[in-house]
Amino acid sequence: MRESKVLYPSPILSQYIKYYWVLKTDEVEPVMVQTIPSGCVHLVFHRGENLNIQSKGLQPKNFIRGQFSTYGSLISEGNIDMIAVIFHPLGLNPFVRCSMSELYNHYIDVEDLEDIELNHLKRNISAEPAVETCIRLIERFFIQRLVDANCNYQRTHHAICQIINQPQIDVNTLAESTCLGYRQFKRVFTNYVGMSPKEYYRVVRFQRALYLLQNHPGMEFVDLAYSCGFYDSSHLVKDFKEFTGCSPTQYLSSRSPYSTFFSEDCRLNVIKSHSRA
């Protein structure tokens, strides 16, 4: 049995939080889920049993998943009962006291942040069975921490909007549009997003390709590459292999294309079930 639903934040938080994803399962056998660079940061409160990250040991039950530049896989073991907060690209910044670059390619245990209020929220969610009450607790926590965006936050937001809206744009153009020199822009962007502007552009470009394939399944790779800002189809194949571990053809043969960045809902990309060794 699997229950999955998406809930949307209150208007005051909608510019920071894309949605809440609630997932409950009682799978008999472990299930492998592929993780790919998503362009967004996730905060997960997990109330079921443990999840094991392949090749990375035991996953924290409550964690922040930072920006990732590579693929991986999660193996669920036992029941899952979790609430995930899916943020817009800069959405987590106002609510935590660390640079996003510290989360790069990591699952950070909530306890390791040494944030008293966040740990208190974690305990309250763990003890509260009603999902709707948990969402209210989460929203109260975020609303109490809202602060006005500073100039560098606004500059980075402007740059991200350009990356989203212009499939072909270079870092120098982005820096110029924010009235910063290249080096200063790269430093500011990396601090606020968690990865460099060039890396982030590649992730968004890849997510755009998934979104187009999701909505136009028969699209030719040459047309796909051009529409997403790739120099040619070979560069598209290169990024697919780096971000998913396989070619576009192999990827499409094993699962349905789906963009967690451009789509409004959220889905697990299940590869297959795995029996215990």
Side-chain angles (χ1 to χ4, degrees), residues 26-232:
D26 58 359
E27 303 287 348
V28 177
E29 294 184 350
V31 175
M32 178 183 287
V33 179
Q34 186 189 50
T35 62
I36 57 177
S38 68
C40 296
V41 176
H42 304 168
L43 170 60
V44 175
F45 299 100
H46 188 253
R47 305 186 295 177
E49 297 180 23
N50 291 324
L51 293 175
N52 183 56
I53 300 178
Q54 193 176 54
S55 302
K56 291 188 178 181
L58 193 65
Q59 177 185 357
K61 290 185 67 174
N62 304 277
F63 63 89
I64 294 176
R65 182 184 188 269
Q67 295 286 357
F68 268 67
S69 63
T70 186
Y71 64 93
S73 55
L74 300 176
I75 302 177
S76 67
E77 297 183 354
N79 298 343
I80 298 174
D81 182 359
M82 77 174 199
I83 300 173
V85 186
I86 314 299
F87 291 93
H88 288 295
L90 292 177
L92 182 61
N93 279 273
F95 308 114
V96 296
R97 304 179 184 97
C98 67
S99 166
M100 292 298 104
S101 60
E102 296 177 25
L103 309 178
Y104 180 58
N105 280 342
H106 283 95
Y107 291 84
I108 304 296
D109 194 320
V110 166
E111 291 188 3
D112 291 342
L113 294 177
E114 298 182 348
D115 186 320
I116 295 174
E117 291 89 357
L118 184 58
N119 274 287
H120 182 65
L121 173 65
K122 176 199 70 175
R123 289 191 294 271
N124 286 341
I125 289 175
S126 178
E128 174 54 58
V131 169
E132 292 76 11
T133 303
C134 290
I135 297 300
R136 286 197 294 270
L137 291 171
I138 293 170
E139 294 228 320
R140 184 188 305 163
F141 169 82
F142 288 134
I143 290 171
Q144 289 175 344
R145 289 202 170 186
L146 274 178
V147 295
D148 293 332
N150 63 31
C151 187
N152 282 337
Y153 182 100
Q154 294 172 341
R155 285 185 172 117
T156 308
H157 180 266
H158 175 72
I160 290 174
C161 288
Q162 288 191 294
I163 291 173
I164 292 171
N165 295 321
Q166 299 183 46
Q168 295 184 356
I169 192 167
D170 59 63
V171 178
N172 286 323
T173 301
L174 290 174
E176 290 172 3
S177 73
T178 60
C179 301
L180 294 175
Y182 174 82
R183 290 186 179 180
Q184 187 179 10
F185 169 69
K186 182 179 178 181
R187 178 182 58 78
V188 169
F189 190 99
T190 303
N191 181 58
Y192 278 85
V193 176
M195 56 172 48
S196 73
K198 185 176 180 180
E199 286 179 303
Y200 194 73
Y201 169 77
R202 291 182 63 217
V203 169
V204 174
R205 184 174 63 179
F206 164 69
Q207 285 288 333
R208 192 190 309 276
L210 290 179
Y211 186 67
L212 286 177
L213 287 172
Q214 175 185 339
N215 291 282
H216 306 283
M219 195 171 190
E220 297 290 337
F221 288 158
V222 173
D223 296 331
L224 180 65
Y226 176 78
S227 299
C228 295
F230 290 93
Y231 182 75
D232 55 30

